[in-house]
Amino acid sequence: MKFDSMLSPILSLLYPPVCPVCFKILNNREQMIHPACEKKLVWVKKPVCLKCGKPVYSPVQEYCMDCFKSVPPFDGGASVWVYTKAMADSIAMYKYQGKREFAAYYVKKAVEIYGDWICQRQPQCITAVPLNKRKARIRGFNQALMIAEGIGKALRIPVDDQLLVRSRFTEPQKGLNPQQRLKNLQQAFGPGDHAGKYKRVLLVDDIYTTGSTMRICSGLLKEQGVEHVWILSLCIGSDY
């Protein structure tokens, strides 16, 4: 028996899994979330923006307000949940309180809902929005990369985190208006060692609000020779 398999039950007793919404212990170890808590989450449903996948007012509305004002460089996008308080709190615990086990639930739902959508686009690899080295040391992991790796493993698609680098420390995007977000991200990203290696790429991040980060990263990928970039986020804002 491997040491990891021996250690897992012990760790489970010391640190029992908790629900990614209410953060209380899951009495049923087979569950990833309390059924009642899952009902509190708002799933992204049509109609959505044809570019980024953000929920919009009407089926006749092709683009959200952000994509209408400025068409993003990526080819299309999708997201699992609307960015409500429940998901904001869940992602915050995942990112800042080390609740990495939440990734299993996020990945499961992302694959269930968008697995076919991803495979139909035939990405040659999945990559994630990179973290600055300082943030990576503070946080201990890249939350977007963990999601990308889970999706890649489930769908048997290679994951490559060497397409982009984040060369400059930036302040958190939360609380900034669109203009401030863009300014905050200017010159923050650069090409990685494998830039230009692929023609079709799926770019993953945890949260999409105005889309500033995804726009900059997908634009940079295309500048390096990637022909098609699709984006996938866990949570997204809405036009209503």
Side-chain angles (χ1 to χ4, degrees), residues 6-135:
M6 295 173 60
L7 188 61
S8 182
I10 299 173
L11 291 175
S12 182
L13 289 173
L14 293 174
Y15 305 100
V18 299
C19 172
V21 173
C22 71
F23 315 128
K24 294 180 181 178
I25 293 174
L26 291 165
N27 294 321
N28 183 347
R29 298 301 176 90
E30 300 300 317
Q31 292 179 339
M32 291 183 174
I33 187 172
H34 290 131
C37 289
E38 190 168 43
K39 292 179 180 178
K40 297 177 182 177
L41 302 180
V42 180
W43 307 86
V44 172
K45 295 180 181 179
K46 294 181 179 180
V48 297
C49 173
L50 298 181
K51 266 292 183 179
C52 70
K54 182 181 293 185
V56 294
Y57 290 103
S58 167
V60 300
Q61 183 180 346
E62 293 186 347
Y63 301 117
C64 68
M65 295 304 295
D66 289 320
C67 291
F68 178 77
K69 292 175 183 176
S70 176
V71 179
F74 50 78
D75 294 80
S79 191
V80 184
W81 295 282
V82 177
Y83 192 46
T84 60
K85 185 179 184 303
M87 275 311 301
D89 291 344
S90 182
I91 294 293
M93 287 291 286
Y94 168 57
K95 289 168 67 169
Y96 306 119
Q97 300 300 320
K99 293 295 183 182
R100 301 187 195 189
E101 65 269 26
F102 291 179
Y105 174 70
Y106 301 153
V107 168
K108 180 176 184 290
K109 290 303 176 181
V111 171
E112 283 180 1
I113 298 170
Y114 292 114
D116 288 343
W117 179 85
I118 293 169
C119 291
Q120 286 167 6
R121 278 139 189 84
Q122 299 182 325
Q124 293 170 296
C125 84
I126 302 175
T127 194
V129 171
L131 271 185
N132 175 268
K133 290 182 179 180
R134 176 183 165 191
K135 278 189 178 179

Side-chain angles (χ1 to χ4, degrees), residues 16 19 26 46 51 59 83 86 108 110 117 126 129 136 147 149 173 175 177 189 199 201 209 221 226-227 236:
C19 172
L26 291 165
K46 294 181 179 180
K51 266 292 183 179
Y83 192 46
K108 180 176 184 290
W117 179 85
I126 302 175
V129 171
I147 300 302
E149 289 173 339
Q173 294 285 78
N177 63 40
F189 297 96
K199 296 300 181 183
V201 172
T209 49
L221 288 172
V226 180
E227 294 177 359
I236 197 165

Side-chain angles (χ1 to χ4, degrees), residues 1 4 17 69 90 103 135 186 239:
M1 182 181 291
D4 287 348
K69 292 175 183 176
S90 182
K135 278 189 178 179
Q186 283 177 348
D239 265 6

Side-chain angles (χ1 to χ4, degrees), residues 153-166:
K153 183 177 181 180
L155 299 179
R156 298 182 180 180
I157 299 172
V159 176
D160 193 334
D161 65 347
Q162 299 300 308
L163 275 66
L164 298 165
V165 295
R166 195 161 191 159

